[in-house]
Amino acid sequence: MSADPSARRPGRVLLAPMDGVADVVLRAVLTRLGGFDLAVTEFVRVTSSLLPPRTFLRTAPELEHASCTPSGTPVRVQLLGGDASCLAENAARLAELGPAGIDLNFGCPAPTVNRHDGGAVLLNDPERLFRIADTVRRAMPAAVPLSAKMRLGVEAPTRALECAQALAAGGIDALVVHARTRDEGYRPPAHWALLAPIGAALSIPVVANGEVWSVEDYHRCRAASGLADVMIGRGAVSDPFLARRIGEARLSSDASEPLSPPVAERLRAAEWQRLLPSLAEFWAGVQTRVQARAAPGRLKQWLKALSVRYDEAGALLAVLRPVTSVAATADVLRAHGVPVRPVADSPFAAAS
């Protein structure tokens, strides 16, 4: 029996914002497969101007559908920038579109983003984090939730708690902490235990994030961090049924025994067959969102991630690698059992 207090709370599973990966199409596919309580969009870059509504709608078409994915998962819209006043003005405009919430990005490690005064580099100045959160919160209706996502720091985690407390004092309603510094990027391990003091010190919900690739990782993350809520990113892209399996594990009071290799392989093979309609949905949706020449690349991107768990995805990717046209891609998909659907049948076709 675990002494971890988070193990007695059901917690939530959130889909992480992943720029260039988890767009509206993949959000729809992953949340339809089940297990997610909330999703956060890719970031909307805020610099020095008040953005038009169409900019927010382009990143988050869910805003036209009660800020939910087609399966009903609420979607928060993420803003990235360093100008408190400009962020506040844009948050106020975004709030008029009825988002399920607004999220502030203090976690992006990308050098280009950091050089332009955005993302994780802002963690060098906790006072500035407070000013941004406070200014944005004051500009928004009280009924619209404001959350933030941060890392443990830039070079070292020494000011992680100070940063988290500054954001909480600024009025955010929830905080996601990626358990690595900016300079660590996505290199394992994630330092889940370093999240425990943050969760203990803050009165708002704190969500653990980083390096959750399996149900076992999920349980270890919760035990080490003491946090009930977990955000999953790359693990969900590579294993689209992970959130559902986590949900099933949360409903069970008994610790599940590890599956034998033959049983695990049969489960994985069955999952791949169940995933084929989702591949078809993704392929149809992508064609409504990007130019034809870019659509095969987006499919290959997801297949590369899927190949971490599914050998079949790697085999399909190998065949598709030299293919560049939409028509030829569709032919290969059909030959591999993917029930390719007309683009007109995609729920994204009407909005494109």
Side-chain angles (χ1 to χ4, degrees):
M1 182 73 71
S2 172
D4 168 32
S6 71
R8 296 191 294 271
R9 304 194 300 275
R12 299 177 300 161
V13 176
L14 288 67
L15 178 60
M18 291 168 279
D19 189 48
V21 178
D23 64 356
V24 61
V25 178
L26 191 56
R27 287 195 298 272
V29 170
L30 293 179
T31 56
R32 193 188 305 280
L33 292 173
F36 288 106
D37 299 286
L38 181 73
V40 182
T41 70
E42 302 167 282
F43 65 75
V44 176
R45 185 74 163 97
V46 174
T47 52
S48 59
S49 61
L50 182 58
L51 299 172
R54 67 175 179 274
T55 299
F56 302 116
L57 291 167
R58 184 166 57 245
T59 298
E62 296 98 338
L63 290 167
E64 296 186 300
H65 303 280
S67 198
C68 289
T69 66
S71 58
T73 303
V75 176
R76 292 192 179 188
V77 183
Q78 188 177 80
L79 303 180
L80 178 146
D83 186 316
S85 296
C86 195
L87 279 166
E89 291 176 357
N90 279 279
R93 172 163 286 182
L94 171 56
E96 296 173 356
L97 302 177
I102 295 175
D103 189 73
L104 299 174
N105 183 321
F106 301 110
C108 181
T112 300
V113 169
N114 286 190
R115 282 197 302 269
H116 290 84
D117 197 35
V121 71
L122 297 172
L123 297 171
N124 276 327
D125 190 345
E127 282 294 326
R128 193 173 178 201
L129 298 182
F130 167 79
R131 290 196 298 273
I132 291 173
D134 181 64
T135 305
V136 172
R137 179 70 274 179
R138 291 176 185 275
M140 291 169 47
V144 179
L146 176 65
S147 56
K149 188 170 189 284
M150 59 172 269
R151 284 178 171 250
L152 289 173
V154 178
E155 297 175 351
T158 51
R159 304 188 76 179
L161 179 56
E162 187 181 357
C163 288
Q165 290 174 321
L167 290 168
I172 65 169
D173 304 294
L175 176 65
V176 177
V177 186
H178 183 115
R180 282 179 277 231
T181 64
R182 182 202 67 178
D183 288 359
E184 288 174 322
Y186 296 95
R187 297 190 302 273
H191 311 293
W192 298 323
L194 296 184
L195 306 183
I198 298 174
L202 269 56
S203 60
I204 60 173
V206 178
V207 183
N209 174 228
E211 214 62 23
V212 174
W213 297 87
S214 67
V215 175
E216 292 73 24
D217 288 340
Y218 166 79
H219 287 304
R220 292 192 300 113
C221 174
R222 293 185 71 194
S225 68
L227 302 176
D229 298 339
V230 176
M231 175 176 275
I232 305 174
R234 294 174 300 151
V237 178
S238 298
D239 182 355
F241 295 100
L242 175 57
R244 176 184 285 188
R245 290 201 304 276
I246 288 172
E248 292 169 350
R250 287 186 299 177
L251 294 176
S252 175
S253 58
D254 299 324
S256 58
E257 293 293 328
L259 299 175
S260 67
V263 173
E265 173 57 24
R266 287 198 296 271
L267 173 63
R268 188 206 57 74
E271 283 183 351
W272 175 253
Q273 292 301 314
R274 290 164 56 200
L275 189 58
L276 295 181
S278 295
L279 275 174
E281 178 186 354
F282 178 80
W283 173 238
V286 160
Q287 292 175 75
T288 71
R289 300 288 299 176
V290 302
Q291 295 182 351
R293 65 175 182 272
R298 289 300 307 276
L299 177 64
K300 294 171 191 177
Q301 179 189 49
W302 192 27
L303 286 171
K304 182 178 180 180
L306 290 171
S307 66
V308 172
R309 177 169 173 80
Y310 304 102
D311 293 341
E312 297 89 342
L316 177 54
L317 176 61
V319 177
L320 282 172
R321 203 176 297 278
V323 177
T324 58
S325 76
V326 166
T329 297
D331 288 342
V332 172
L333 290 174
R334 292 189 189 95
H336 283 74
V338 179
V340 175
R341 56 199 290 185
V343 174
D345 290 346
S346 168
F348 305 101
S352 62

